[in-house]
């Protein structure tokens, strides 16, 4: 019995080149709604749709690419297998002051989005991978999302709650049936509770369900921000 290995491709330029020259990449495999597929076996129209969905430039802010973006540094060096000590100013987990959503958007550190997930909660879902996790689990499914990055210093990972809601509205027709909606994964969503809470509130206002994929990071103060807005 052989082994099957999936490798996350985080470079949009590579996908664009593979779209123009599919014969150069006979073994390039991507993930579509939880299934692995050879990129060159997709139709040109399907490949164009994949490119449209790799819409957020933060995908380049992975552990393997940070050296090429000097201002996008990991918050902590030499991480261990236990929780890191997070700067209270990196995210506003411990702050008593929250920005008025009517005045200013809430900014999050986002790795990437999938707009047609069928494996991360009921119905069809928009899956948001947040950038940053306080743990370094040995068999992490998404190690490229572990690096904790300040979105205000690294605009490549910055995305507002309004940006995410804009994506939800674009695909609302597909997300609404069968209790579909939005799922936050990562990374660790509870590192950014105010951002998750804001998006969840807006999603529920649209009639969508909310789902949280978390390791349980945080404390009662953090959980009380997000869990009342969480369906699954």
């Amino acid at each position: 019995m052989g082994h099957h290995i999936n490798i996350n491709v985080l470079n949009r330029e590579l996908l664009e080149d593979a779209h123009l020259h599919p014969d150069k990449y006979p073994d390039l495999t991507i993930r579509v709604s939880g299934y692995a597929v050879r990129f060159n076996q997709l139709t040109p129209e399907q490949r164009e749709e994949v490119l449209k969905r790799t819409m957020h430039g933060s995908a380049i802010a992975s552990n393997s690419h940070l050296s090429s973006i000097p201002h996008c540094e990991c918050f902590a060096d030499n991480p261990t297998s236990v929780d890191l000590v997070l700067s209270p100013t990196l995210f506003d987990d411990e702050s008593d002051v929250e920005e008025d959503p009517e005045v200013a958007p809430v900014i999050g550190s986002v790795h990437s989005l999938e707009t047609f997930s069928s494996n991360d909660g009921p119905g069809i879902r928009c899956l948001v991978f947040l950038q940053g996790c306080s743990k370094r689990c040995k068999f992490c499914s998404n190690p490229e999302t572990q690096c904790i990055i300040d979105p205000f210093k690294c605009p490549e990972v910055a995305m507002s709650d309004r940006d995410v809601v804009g994506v939800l509205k674009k695909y609302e027709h597909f997300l609404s049936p069968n209790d579909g909606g939005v799922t936050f994964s990562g990374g660790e969503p509870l590192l950014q509770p105010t951002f998750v809470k804001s998006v969840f509130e807006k999603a529920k206002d649209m009639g969508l369900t909310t789902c949280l994929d978390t390791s349980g990071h945080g404390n009662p103060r953090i959980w009380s921000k997000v869990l009342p807005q969480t369906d699954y």
Side-chain angles (χ1 to χ4, degrees), residues 168-224:
L168 298 181
K169 290 180 178 179
K170 181 177 180 180
Y171 296 101
E172 184 176 4
H173 179 75
F174 300 98
L175 300 174
S176 295
N178 302 314
D179 294 324
V182 59
T183 297
F184 270 91
S185 184
E188 172 51 67
L190 291 180
L191 276 179
Q192 305 180 59
T194 301
F195 179 64
V196 175
K197 173 188 175 183
S198 181
V199 175
F200 275 10
E201 287 177 338
K202 291 175 171 58
K204 292 177 77 68
D205 288 342
M206 295 171 59
L208 303 177
T209 63
T210 58
C211 182
L212 188 68
D213 184 1
T214 174
S215 66
H217 169 86
N219 53 47
R221 177 187 177 86
I222 290 175
W223 302 331
S224 66

Side-chain angles (χ1 to χ4, degrees), residues 12-30:
R12 179 184 172 87
E13 287 70 26
L14 188 149
L15 285 179
E16 290 174 338
D17 190 53
H19 175 51
L20 297 175
H21 311 285
D23 294 340
K24 289 172 57 178
Y25 304 89
D27 298 318
L28 177 60
T29 302
I30 64 170

Side-chain angles (χ1 to χ4, degrees), residues 34-229:
Y35 297 92
V37 62
R38 293 287 173 83
F39 189 70
N40 67 352
Q41 293 180 350
L42 300 175
T43 67
E45 293 77 16
Q46 289 171 329
R47 295 199 298 268
E48 289 176 358
E49 181 64 21
V50 169
L51 285 169
K52 289 178 182 178
R53 296 188 182 198
T54 56
M55 65 190 78
H56 189 44
S58 66
I60 62 173
S62 68
N63 289 331
S64 60
H65 289 79
L66 284 174
S67 60
S68 64
I69 313 175
H71 57 279
C72 295
E73 299 179 353
C74 284
F75 173 71
D77 295 326
N78 302 318
T80 66
S81 59
V82 298
D83 283 359
L84 305 175
V85 178
L86 300 182
S87 165
T89 61
L90 181 56
F91 301 117
D92 58 349
D93 298 352
E94 301 299 330
S95 173
D96 290 323
V97 179
E98 294 187 13
E99 290 184 337
D100 185 345
E102 297 299 321
V103 176
V106 182
I107 304 299
S109 183
V110 178
H111 177 276
S112 56
L113 295 91
E114 291 184 10
T115 56
F116 204 86
S117 172
S118 59
N119 297 314
D120 300 277
I124 296 172
R125 313 194 70 77
C126 176
L127 178 58
V128 184
F129 291 98
L130 294 186
Q131 181 69 45
C133 183
S134 62
K135 297 183 182 296
R136 296 296 182 267
C137 300
K138 186 174 182 180
F139 298 105
C140 176
S141 299
N142 303 308
E144 69 276 9
T145 68
Q146 289 178 351
C147 188
I148 299 171
I149 304 173
D150 187 340
F152 295 97
K153 295 181 180 178
C154 182
E156 286 82 357
V157 303
M159 197 169 190
S160 74
D161 54 344
R162 297 173 186 175
D163 293 332
V164 178
V165 170
V167 175
L168 298 181
K169 290 180 178 179
K170 181 177 180 180
Y171 296 101
E172 184 176 4
H173 179 75
F174 300 98
L175 300 174
S176 295
N178 302 314
D179 294 324
V182 59
T183 297
F184 270 91
S185 184
E188 172 51 67
L190 291 180
L191 276 179
Q192 305 180 59
T194 301
F195 179 64
V196 175
K197 173 188 175 183
S198 181
V199 175
F200 275 10
E201 287 177 338
K202 291 175 171 58
K204 292 177 77 68
D205 288 342
M206 295 171 59
L208 303 177
T209 63
T210 58
C211 182
L212 188 68
D213 184 1
T214 174
S215 66
H217 169 86
N219 53 47
R221 177 187 177 86
I222 290 175
W223 302 331
S224 66
K225 280 189 175 185
V226 179
L227 294 186
Q229 305 299 327

